[in-house]
Amino acid sequence: MRRAAALVLIGSCLLPCAGMAASSNPRPEHPRPDFERERWQNLNGSWQFCFDRDDRGLSEQWPLGTGPFDRSITVPFPWQSELSGIGDDSGQSVGWYRRNVQIPPSWQGHHVWLCFGGVEREARVWVNGRAMGRHEDGYTPFAFDITEQAFTGQEVRIDVRVFDGANTAAQRTASPRIASGVWQTVWLEARPALHVDALQLVPTRVNDQWIVEAEVALSGPDGPATVDIHSPDAAFGSHQLSTTLANGRGTVNALLKVNSGKPWSPEDPHLYHLEVSATGADRQRDLVRSYFGLRTISRGKYGDLGHEVLLLNGEPLFLRGAIDPSWNAAGLSTAPSDEFLQHDLQLARQLGLNLLKIREKIDEPRRLYWADRLGVLLWQEFPRADCSSESSRALWTANMRAILRRDANHPALIGWTLFHDSDGIGGEQFKGDSSMQKWVYEQVGEIRDRLDPSRLVEDNATSRMDHVATDVNSWQFRIDDYWVAREHIGQIVSRTRPGSALGYVPGLTQKGEPLICGEFSAVGSAGGDVSWALRFLLTQLRRHAVIQGHIFGSFYDVPWQRDGLLRFDRTVKEYGYGEFVPNITVADLQGDDFIGFDAPPVIETAPGEELALALFASHYSGHPGPARLRWRVIGTDDLGRPVASGAQSREILWQRGTVTYQTPLRVRIPEGASFVGAVQAELLDSENRRIAANYVNLIADIGAAADLQGAPRPAVPANPSVEVLSPRIVALRIPPRAFAAVKSDPPQTEQKHYSFGNWQVEYHIALPDFVRQAIPSQMVLMAELAAEGHPRDSQPEDASQGPTTATSSLQVLLWNEEVTRVALSNNLADSRGVLSHHARFRDGAYGELMRRRIDLTDRSPLRESIYQQAFFPLVFRTEGPQTRLSIFGRRLGRYMIDPTLIVQTAKQLEQPVGFISYEPVAVDPFLAKQASPAATPPPEPN
């Protein structure tokens, strides 16, 4: 089960603001919590800076002290970013950094190292004019021993030249992710001559005993060395080992038996601390602090299942992930603050995710640290690289090894993806390039079998279905149609088995690798409502036992992809699920356990009918059961009244690590009026706590009864225009397009029968004689209205902002007399727009239900006019030249309601309760003008 206490409702919370990073020492925390020395000095903050547009800095020998440093830059933020203080996005490719630094006197007798977390893309470094070295790769750390130039207690001058050849204006337009320069922390570090160079910890479990294989790499002068491994937690006994360095290198290995080992998992991310010290012939001691988690990740059989599953610590793991661009508006590829990193991962937990897949980027170690702390699984995808030549492949291999070396000890990191969409390995041609296929196959084997056996490896995350060697058989899709998605997923599942060629290059076949959906969405890069398709796609993916995980298209919106679960500013989007199941959130659809209907997202039925609904449960948590299903029908009818049936419950089949289909659910649809609603389903434990929740929408239409009974539908409209509700109450329904006049600015260009965006709409309403003769005394006007109705218009150009939520003022008039004024929201579109989604209309646009009482007893002129005239004008008018109006009818939007007047009369109506007439109550505009010269048009708006 989820750790409910740790999940705080997102609401409209904002992430830590970008301004947090604008201090004199931004990102002050240690950059490597997994490899931390006591003696270090953070060099983030203000550096001198200049661009080298003509690339003359080397020939003019700027590192000797010259150079036109004309501005300052805030490290560690890319020079394109706002937080750098530069914000230059013009395509500059060469930048120079300079800073004077004083070496602490207390470092006397130690070597001084200058360390860089990451520089995009090629860095050359000088200290006091002397070249220290060069590094090529934007994602791997590097360091130089600057001891000969760095005297304790004195200042040194550091110069860094950064070249990013990929940073052209055209490339940045195509991919705003590109960020140049120093983008991770820079720091100084004091080390003895003999020091710990690397530490790799690989936990394994033998029966009930956890053992950590520790490999300590040493660097320094040749000769004997002693290594001590200590547990501050007393998790294992101390170890002392000896070795002898040769050619400046040495290695020791130890098996650490953990006492009463507590496994690391997303539900309980328990960490152990570790200290490693190395002592050489000079008796100086180097101490490094780290940590580890007891975690294994593998694939294999579980129980009597016929397919392989993913196994975390030997138990089934269902991946519920999202693509993480690891991007923000202010710092681009660099997080504004450590709190920002923590907050992102907390949001992932609150959304029900257990995995983030970092797209085409090796992230900074502190993101991995917070994932370790908070229990969020990570899967890192290697950055794009050109591997078309031997030299480029050698560089890729060297950088790959450096990345694996840096991130070896993070329990949250469970997998690597080597290439994205065949980029760098041939693209479309990869399927026919046997030489490149062989090289990729070898890299997968090298990582999986030797370099990092503690993680899963995916060769290529692609929609081209061109695997050669992988631990997960992944595929991708973007489909916004339920039936197409159902067919597509079904085809993938039916062709997933050992020996199948699906997903692999010609000549290779599946070997039983667990099937996961590596990326899915229904929304294109331009954005739109996420909520509707997310729910039915999740339901389709969870109903197949062979599928072992899914990764949604984006964790949050970014400029190049606006289909995230969150907005740009990390506030939660509107999903609208709570309309159909109280307090349900997207997290209830993304848990270890899942309940779902094997049905389309909307079922059209009729009041009083009985449905048999196929139901399934997907169970991957450690919850022992039994679990109980509770269900009922809820909705809103065509007069805005709530509809609800009594709740019922029963126990369900509960089998871990798979999907179980349940006895079909027989549901009686409430009788009476037409309504829009849902059959809600909740999984509950023995203490009535929710485990999971879902629903299927209903459109229960009285007019559908004839279809269900096999009889022809009546020639008249299914929805009555006049209906007597009680001896003195009658409802008059007005089709939205039955208007007498329309005025719009700009001119109306989209007049559809279900909705239109206009500035002013006028209806001419003819009361039936039997209503007028009963003397109307009160009216209630109901209509579903919105100021606009299309969410894509609200997407901001500035990625730091969320969608607009402006409102417009609506004036409602009867006979030129204002009867109410309403504030209307715009851009409403989420799962509540059931009717629009079902009609595939404008991303599920819907409006708000306006309900206003009009007391005619206090409006004598209006009452007399309504009584005496053949018709009266009803006008909806929005105020402001840029506003538009959407009036929804009974087959679009959120409610099955045409604009409706509910009229109460002073005398009893002549027609009986239940009387229905299909005669129109909105007068034909031509006849209306002829019939009533007394009717005057409303005044022009101001």
Side-chain angles (χ1 to χ4, degrees):
M1 291 182 64
R2 295 186 300 276
R3 295 178 300 158
L7 302 184
V8 181
L9 183 64
I10 300 172
S12 59
C13 62
L14 293 173
L15 73 167
C17 66
M20 297 177 68
S23 65
S24 59
N25 188 21
R27 301 300 306 275
E29 62 281 348
H30 194 285
R32 289 288 305 274
D34 62 317
F35 199 85
E36 183 174 349
R37 288 186 170 88
E38 286 185 348
R39 294 184 177 92
W40 76 288
Q41 181 179 341
N42 191 307
L43 299 186
N44 292 342
S46 181
W47 289 54
Q48 292 177 274
F49 182 79
C50 66
F51 286 119
D52 190 356
R53 290 174 172 81
D54 301 320
D55 198 10
R56 54 193 177 89
L58 291 174
S59 62
E60 294 180 2
Q61 299 184 341
W62 289 358
L64 295 181
T66 62
F69 290 92
D70 57 353
R71 65 189 79 181
S72 63
I73 188 170
T74 301
V75 170
F77 301 108
W79 66 59
Q80 294 91 355
S81 72
E82 170 194 332
L83 290 179
S84 71
I86 302 295
D88 190 304
D89 199 21
S90 63
Q92 299 296 325
S93 58
V94 181
W96 285 81
Y97 296 74
R98 173 173 291 174
R99 177 167 176 176
N100 292 332
V101 179
Q102 186 175 41
I103 308 301
S106 60
W107 291 9
Q108 180 69 39
H110 287 73
H111 285 240
V112 178
W113 287 78
L114 175 60
C115 309
F116 295 83
V119 179
E120 176 68 33
R121 171 159 182 94
E122 177 196 277
R124 296 189 184 188
V125 180
W126 294 261
V127 175
N128 290 339
R130 180 176 177 181
M132 293 291 102
R134 173 178 172 272
H135 179 78
E136 183 179 355
D137 181 62
Y139 297 91
T140 52
F142 59 98
F144 301 110
D145 186 344
I146 65 171
T147 306
E148 292 185 7
Q149 302 298 315
F151 300 103
T152 55
Q154 297 183 13
E155 276 196 351
V156 298
R157 186 182 70 251
I158 301 171
D159 286 276
V160 183
R161 176 188 182 271
V162 178
F163 170 69
D164 185 4
N167 184 32
T168 67
Q171 287 168 319
R172 283 201 50 74
T173 300
S175 179
R177 284 168 283 190
I178 297 173
S180 306
V182 179
W183 70 279
Q184 289 189 42
T185 293
V186 183
W187 74 102
L188 292 176
E189 193 171 78
R191 311 177 191 173
L194 185 145
H195 57 271
V196 178
D197 191 51
L199 172 66
Q200 184 168 12
L201 305 167
V202 180
T204 58
R205 186 165 61 178
V206 180
N207 298 322
D208 292 331
Q209 176 70 58
W210 280 95
I211 298 174
V212 178
E213 301 175 36
E215 179 180 285
V216 183
L218 304 177
S219 181
D222 291 353
T226 301
V227 174
D228 290 278
I229 304 176
H230 171 67
S231 169
D233 309 318
F236 55 83
S238 296
H239 291 250
Q240 187 174 83
L241 307 103
S242 299
T243 189
T244 300
L245 274 70
N247 299 318
R249 298 289 177 183
T251 303
V252 299
N253 294 277
L255 295 179
L256 313 177
K257 295 183 179 180
V258 181
N259 305 318
S260 304
K262 189 174 185 179
W264 183 99
S265 69
E267 291 74 28
D268 186 7
H270 184 78
L271 298 174
Y272 292 91
H273 296 91
L274 183 84
E275 292 180 350
V276 177
S277 62
T279 307
D282 59 2
R283 311 306 298 169
Q284 285 191 326
R285 179 170 172 262
D286 182 36
L287 175 65
V288 170
R289 293 188 173 92
S290 187
Y291 64 86
F292 63 90
L294 299 176
R295 187 271 295 148
T296 62
I297 183 71
S298 60
R299 40 171 277 223
K301 290 296 183 70
Y302 181 80
D304 57 359
L305 298 177
H307 54 268
E308 287 193 15
V309 301
L310 298 174
L311 296 167
L312 181 69
N313 303 324
E315 297 295 331
L317 169 69
F318 192 94
L319 297 180
R320 304 156 353 245
I323 300 294
D324 185 355
S326 187
W327 183 93
N328 67 92
L332 303 185
S333 54
T334 306
S337 67
D338 200 46
E339 292 82 4
F340 183 99
L341 293 172
Q342 180 182 2
H343 186 257
D344 260 9
L345 293 162
Q346 288 171 331
L347 288 175
R349 291 301 307 262
Q350 292 165 10
L351 289 170
L353 304 175
N354 66 1
L355 174 91
L356 292 176
K357 185 172 186 180
I358 301 173
R359 167 63 54 82
E360 296 184 81
K361 177 186 177 183
I362 301 302
D363 218 322
E364 58 176 294
R366 289 204 67 92
R367 179 180 286 269
L368 277 62
Y369 163 73
W370 280 114
D372 295 337
R373 285 275 306 272
L374 297 173
V376 178
L377 301 172
L378 295 180
W379 194 297
Q380 289 203 139
E381 194 172 85
F382 280 65
R384 297 188 186 193
D386 176 19
C387 296
S388 58
S389 65
E390 270 192 47
S391 60
S392 62
R393 288 195 289 271
L395 178 62
W396 184 92
T397 301
N399 290 330
M400 174 268 289
R401 289 170 177 265
I403 290 167
L404 268 57
R405 181 185 176 97
R406 189 198 75 172
D407 294 340
N409 303 326
H410 292 283
L413 181 58
I414 64 166
W416 302 105
T417 294
L418 305 190
F419 299 96
H420 174 73
D421 224 15
S422 309
D423 289 330
I425 53 175
E428 291 284 358
Q429 285 71 47
F430 178 66
K431 282 187 176 181
D433 189 339
S434 59
S435 175
M436 185 62 79
Q437 292 171 15
K438 180 176 182 294
W439 180 77
V440 172
Y441 184 92
E442 291 170 348
Q443 303 315 304
V444 172
E446 178 79 353
I447 296 171
R448 184 167 54 193
D449 301 332
R450 194 173 73 83
L451 297 178
D452 193 359
S454 67
R455 292 181 176 87
L456 303 172
V457 184
E458 179 186 32
D459 54 353
N460 188 18
T462 176
S463 57
R464 298 189 177 108
M465 311 286 277
D466 52 4
H467 291 303
V468 294
T470 180
D471 285 320
V472 289
N473 182 16
S474 64
W475 98 101
Q476 304 176 10
F477 71 87
R478 284 181 180 269
I479 301 174
D480 67 351
D481 182 277
Y482 166 79
W483 295 106
V484 176
R486 179 187 174 91
E487 175 66 18
H488 169 78
I489 296 169
Q491 286 289 329
I492 295 292
V493 167
S494 67
R495 297 173 62 189
T496 296
R497 60 187 181 279
S500 170
L502 180 70
Y504 281 73
V505 299
L508 296 179
T509 60
Q510 300 175 21
K511 299 174 183 60
E513 303 86 349
L515 177 66
I516 70 166
C517 182
E519 182 176 344
F520 76 98
S521 182
V523 181
S525 60
D529 172 53
V530 172
S531 64
W532 180 259
L534 174 66
R535 192 177 60 81
F536 74 66
L537 291 176
L538 286 173
T539 302
Q540 284 302 302
L541 289 165
R542 290 301 293 262
R543 78 182 182 92
H544 296 283
V546 72
I547 296 177
Q548 298 300 300
H550 47 67
I551 301 175
F552 186 68
S554 190
F555 182 23
Y556 44 81
D557 289 344
V558 286
W560 60 91
Q561 194 71 45
R562 303 185 180 194
D563 65 343
L565 297 172
L566 301 170
R567 299 190 182 101
F568 293 110
D569 61 0
R570 307 310 205 261
T571 53
V572 68
K573 291 184 175 180
E574 293 293 339
Y575 288 87
Y577 300 150
E579 176 89 351
F580 308 107
V581 181
N583 302 316
I584 187 178
T585 69
V586 66
D588 289 297
L589 298 169
Q590 299 195 116
D592 285 323
D593 299 321
F594 187 92
I595 189 72
F597 295 97
D598 188 2
V602 180
I603 297 175
E604 287 205 73
T605 183
E609 293 296 322
E610 185 175 84
L611 302 179
L613 299 176
L615 190 77
F616 67 89
S618 174
H619 173 34
Y620 280 84
S621 75
H623 192 288
R628 189 165 50 87
L629 173 71
R630 181 172 65 193
W631 76 94
R632 69 171 183 158
V633 177
I634 64 165
T636 302
D637 73 10
D638 56 5
L639 290 172
R641 300 171 299 191
V643 174
S645 67
Q648 302 180 62
S649 66
R650 73 181 192 204
E651 285 195 1
I652 66 167
L653 299 174
W654 197 237
Q655 183 179 351
R656 188 172 187 189
T658 191
V659 174
T660 50
Y661 267 79
Q662 310 294 314
T663 303
L665 197 64
R666 305 199 73 85
V667 177
R668 174 73 65 179
I669 306 302
E671 295 185 281
S674 301
F675 69 92
V676 176
V679 181
Q680 57 180 227
E682 296 176 278
L683 274 186
L684 307 174
D685 66 11
S686 58
E687 297 181 9
N688 258 11
R689 293 173 300 194
R690 181 185 289 172
I691 301 172
N694 205 341
Y695 62 89
V696 61
N697 281 121
L698 299 173
I699 299 176
D701 190 347
I702 290 177
D707 290 340
L708 294 170
Q709 295 165 3
R713 298 189 69 169
V716 295
N719 193 43
S721 293
V722 180
E723 181 179 2
V724 177
L725 304 177
S726 80
R728 293 196 301 155
I729 298 177
V730 63
L732 311 176
R733 296 183 176 91
I734 309 158
R737 274 189 57 84
F739 51 84
V742 173
K743 296 180 181 179
S744 64
D745 184 16
Q748 175 64 29
T749 57
E750 184 183 307
Q751 295 189 12
K752 300 185 178 181
H753 71 281
Y754 37 69
S755 174
F756 50 95
N758 285 291
W759 194 56
Q760 178 174 303
V761 183
E762 179 177 334
Y763 297 95
H764 290 172
I765 311 301
L767 287 183
D769 286 341
F770 76 91
V771 176
R772 287 194 295 126
Q773 290 168 6
I775 308 176
S777 60
Q778 292 193 68
M779 292 182 177
V780 174
L781 175 61
M782 291 195 310
E784 183 178 347
L785 307 168
E788 169 43 60
H790 201 310
R792 292 185 186 174
D793 298 341
S794 68
Q795 294 285 5
E797 292 300 320
D798 180 0
S800 66
Q801 301 175 7
T804 58
T805 56
T807 59
S808 297
S809 178
L810 174 73
Q811 186 183 27
V812 181
L813 304 100
L814 286 176
W815 277 100
N816 302 329
E817 182 179 340
E818 180 179 304
V819 293
T820 189
R821 191 177 291 264
V822 184
L824 295 179
S825 300
N826 64 358
N827 304 306
L828 300 175
D830 54 53
S831 283
R832 286 169 284 192
V834 174
L835 296 162
S836 289
H837 275 299
H838 190 51
R840 298 182 67 82
F841 172 67
R842 304 186 84 185
D843 293 319
Y846 66 90
E848 297 169 306
L849 185 60
M850 180 197 73
R851 193 194 305 260
R852 290 294 184 271
R853 180 176 297 276
I854 305 166
D855 189 346
L856 299 178
T857 59
D858 295 331
R859 299 173 183 264
S860 298
L862 180 59
R863 185 181 70 244
E864 293 302 318
S865 298
I866 290 174
Y867 176 71
Q868 294 174 3
Q869 301 297 328
F871 72 93
F872 60 91
L874 168 64
V875 175
F876 296 95
R877 178 188 298 163
T878 55
E879 295 185 339
Q882 301 301 318
T883 58
R884 294 192 291 170
L885 176 65
S886 292
I887 302 177
F888 292 86
R890 67 185 305 272
R891 296 299 294 186
L892 278 183
R894 178 176 177 179
Y895 304 99
M896 191 178 279
I897 296 175
D898 282 332
T900 300
L901 273 174
I902 301 175
V903 181
Q904 180 175 336
T905 60
K907 297 167 57 178
Q908 186 164 315
L909 296 162
E910 293 182 359
Q911 298 293 347
V913 174
F915 170 83
I916 289 177
S917 169
Y918 295 98
E919 294 299 322
V921 295
V923 181
D924 180 274
F926 176 77
L927 295 178
K929 291 175 183 177
Q930 300 298 317
S932 181
T936 58
E940 290 293 328
N942 295 327

